[in-house]
Amino acid sequence: MDKLIIKGCANLSGEISIKGSKNSALPIMVSALLSEDTLKLRNIPKLADIENMSKLLRNYGSIIKSKSDSIEINCKKIINKDADYDIVRKMRASILILGPLLSRFGKAKISLPGGCAIGTRPIDIHLDGLKKLGANFKVENGYVVGQVNNQLIGSHIKLSFPSVGATENIMMAAVKAKGKTIIENAAKEPEIIDLANCLNKMGANIKITKKGTINIIGVKKLHKANHNIMSDRIVAGTFIIAAVMLNKKFEVKDVDTKHIEALISALKNMGANIKLKKNSIKIMPTNELNGIKIQTSPHPGFPTDLQAQMMALMSLANGKSQIKENIFENRFMHVPELNRLGAKIRVKKDVAFISGSRNFKGAQVMASDLRASVSLVLAALCAEGESEINRVYHLDRGYEKIENTLGKLGPSIKREKN
Ligand code: EPZ
């Protein structure tokens, strides 16, 4: 397993241009299963999860050609088969093939994704919505087996929680269902809009109201389409927080600032000096940052995927801060590791209490999940001395070769084999 060696008191200068969003690319790649024509995608990030999704789709017979940041997926000749545990456990987004397979074949057998470091990650909201469209499910030997009598039928669905994955699964199942589907209390994340835009380019008929209700009229067939994946708002937010922590002049480009309004307002409340343009953010040094209270919530609230990074920043601010994590039941795995780096954070149920004015000191730490691991990188960049971050495969799932990306911007960061 690889580890990262990071020298502290890092410099950071210049700018970064943000690549495509992992959490938009994954469902959009799966949507190719709904069509027999080729789906051409641009701005695809080079990440382990994208590689795994390509492997999963090839497993069904998809023909996938990738060149630089583009990928062409053709699912004309695919065969239905089980999605086995080994693939699904490595990448929870595999569950997103359930809706498209039910739409295309009327049946699907997928290993239950199981939990992960941040929570049990159930799929009840996915299954409840797909049942409303006419699917039946049984769970046997750790697999969920879905069956549709003849065709999926449009329905009025109200999600019990605005689950991102469930919204995506149900939306993809509904685009060729018979009649109209309404999804109320759907997730409003920008990645949902990106998926709907791509499906509409493929010939679907999806309209999303201002309130976020998704209205779908089923169509018979989808056709070829080209689509540019939206930029990764979480990677953008991570680099913005890095620049504020290092107190350096830096610019984050090619990101829709509307997608990270909650982060921007939290940083401004702390006293960060940020200048916004439509598709870029300029961070300038500031005299001091003050602690604040935030809580994570579904979009447009503060994103849970930036919670760990924010916690690292709060350790450097003056005074106390608090973070309430409302989305996942176990998303504070980075706390003990940040404390090893010199933070002073205590957790009580779903609230983390962060003491400020801390100085990070280099240490050996362990990554536990994707976003926790990047919060350790941010702290290590600010620490006195050298840090070693183990189990870097977590990081590679969501950040393209971070040692090169950051290395080009000033920090001394190298990857070593354990
Ligand atoms: C997506 O996961 C993202 N992953 C996550 O990003 C992100 O943290 C999450 O949305 C929330 O924004 C991808 O897009 C691939 P949810 P997803 O369904 O769809 C509960 C990252 O770091 N729930 O909105 O799995 C669930 O347990 C990853 O890039 C049910 O109870 O998230 C959780 O507590 C991590 N039943 C909450 O809802 C269900 O059927 C939010 O989950 C589904 C979800």
Side-chain angles (χ1 to χ4, degrees):
M1 282 192 255
D2 292 359
K3 62 187 176 186
L4 289 178
I5 310 294
I6 299 177
K7 271 202 178 43
C9 305
N11 186 13
L12 183 76
S13 63
E15 61 186 43
I16 186 167
S17 171
I18 299 300
K19 306 262 179 70
S21 159
K22 164 179 87 82
N23 291 351
S24 175
L26 291 172
I28 285 178
M29 286 171 72
V30 171
S31 72
L33 290 168
L34 292 162
S35 157
E36 300 199 356
D37 284 346
T38 300
L39 179 60
K40 291 185 181 172
L41 302 172
R42 296 288 310 277
N43 205 22
I44 294 278
K46 286 185 183 42
L47 300 168
D49 272 10
I50 300 294
E51 261 314 296
N52 280 329
M53 184 55 84
S54 298
K55 219 181 283 171
L56 176 64
L57 293 173
R58 283 196 178 102
N59 187 27
Y60 283 85
S62 307
I63 296 167
I64 300 182
K65 291 185 205 133
S66 57
K67 190 163 79 43
S68 168
D69 72 343
S70 309
I71 195 166
E72 291 186 16
I73 308 175
N74 182 290
C75 298
K76 186 173 178 60
K77 296 198 181 67
I78 60 164
I79 34 137
N80 201 356
K81 55 195 301 188
D82 305 352
D84 65 36
Y85 177 62
D86 196 40
I87 294 187
V88 177
R89 75 181 171 79
K90 271 193 221 128
M91 184 184 56
R92 291 188 38 74
S94 315
I95 196 66
L96 295 174
I97 61 174
L98 185 56
L101 289 180
L102 288 171
S103 168
R104 178 134 181 193
F105 295 112
K107 58 180 190 243
K109 184 175 177 185
I110 300 178
S111 164
L112 280 166
C116 70
I118 60 178
T120 50
R121 312 291 294 271
I123 58 167
D124 54 311
I125 304 173
H126 296 241
L127 302 185
D128 292 348
L130 294 169
K131 278 180 203 159
K132 295 277 284 194
L133 295 174
N136 305 295
F137 294 99
K138 60 179 191 296
V139 175
E140 52 190 34
N141 316 323
Y143 278 79
V144 61
V145 184
Q147 183 85 32
V148 180
N149 293 334
N150 39 42
Q151 188 188 9
L152 290 170
I153 311 287
S155 176
H156 190 150
I157 299 165
K158 190 168 172 29
L159 301 190
S160 55
F161 177 86
S163 153
V164 172
T167 302
E168 291 163 345
N169 230 332
I170 296 161
M171 184 153 70
M172 289 193 279
V175 290
K176 293 202 293 182
K178 193 165 181 301
K180 181 171 183 180
T181 295
I182 299 171
I183 311 174
E184 282 194 79
N185 196 30
K188 301 185 182 68
E189 273 67 5
E191 293 77 18
I192 302 286
I193 314 291
D194 209 27
L195 173 61
N197 289 341
C198 181
L199 286 166
N200 281 339
K201 285 180 189 172
M202 294 164 75
N205 182 339
I206 304 171
K207 288 189 179 57
I208 302 181
T209 67
K210 279 210 174 30
K211 237 182 61 172
T213 301
I214 300 175
N215 295 297
I216 302 168
I217 309 283
V219 295
K220 284 224 173 327
K221 247 169 95 77
L222 298 184
H223 50 67
K224 67 182 176 191
N226 297 342
H227 184 73
N228 271 12
I229 300 291
M230 63 173 265
S231 60
D232 195 314
R233 61 192 172 100
I234 303 301
V235 171
T238 303
F239 280 97
I240 292 167
I241 293 172
V244 175
M245 286 176 70
L246 289 162
N247 206 22
K248 302 282 185 205
K249 185 167 172 284
F250 190 67
E251 186 167 9
V252 176
K253 301 176 79 166
D254 300 323
V255 56
D256 186 335
T257 47
K258 283 197 312 303
H259 291 167
I260 45 173
E261 282 173 344
L263 170 69
I264 299 294
S265 81
L267 291 173
K268 285 188 171 175
N269 290 344
M270 291 180 83
N273 184 352
I274 294 174
K275 290 193 177 24
L276 290 185
K277 291 187 213 152
K278 186 175 176 322
N279 284 315
S280 78
I281 293 110
K282 259 195 179 152
I283 298 100
M284 316 293 281
T286 181
N287 303 332
E288 61 173 27
L289 290 169
N290 302 306
I292 57 167
K293 277 187 188 174
I294 61 168
Q295 58 176 325
T296 64
S297 56
H299 195 78
F302 192 92
T304 175
D305 291 350
L306 285 173
Q307 177 256 99
Q309 300 89 316
M310 199 64 181
M311 197 181 280
L313 167 59
M314 288 168 161
S315 300
L316 301 178
N318 297 331
K320 297 192 176 307
S321 295
Q322 269 183 41
I323 301 184
K324 188 169 185 298
E325 172 57 58
N326 294 314
I327 304 294
F328 289 104
E329 69 270 28
N330 186 34
R331 201 168 199 177
F332 285 143
M333 310 271 283
H334 39 285
V335 167
E337 300 307 306
L338 285 172
N339 285 342
R340 282 178 54 76
L341 285 162
K344 195 171 168 222
I345 307 165
R346 66 184 174 80
V347 170
K348 198 154 173 262
K349 294 205 186 102
D350 55 358
V351 182
F353 299 89
I354 301 110
S355 303
S357 319
R358 307 296 295 175
N359 289 315
F360 289 122
K361 289 195 178 43
Q364 282 189 330
V365 287
M366 190 75 77
S368 54
D369 63 85
L370 168 52
R371 307 301 172 182
S373 38
V374 83
S375 77
L376 304 180
V377 171
L378 300 185
L381 290 172
C382 301
E384 277 158 47
E386 189 171 272
S387 300
E388 184 180 293
I389 300 180
N390 293 286
R391 293 193 186 160
V392 177
Y393 60 87
H394 288 293
L395 207 56
D396 296 337
R397 293 189 49 205
Y399 294 85
E400 256 185 65
K401 284 251 167 282
I402 197 159
E403 67 276 18
N404 301 343
T405 316
L406 273 174
K408 278 187 274 197
L409 300 168
S412 156
I413 171 170
K414 55 184 195 306
R415 182 184 290 254
E416 285 181 6
K417 293 266 170 247
N418 243 341

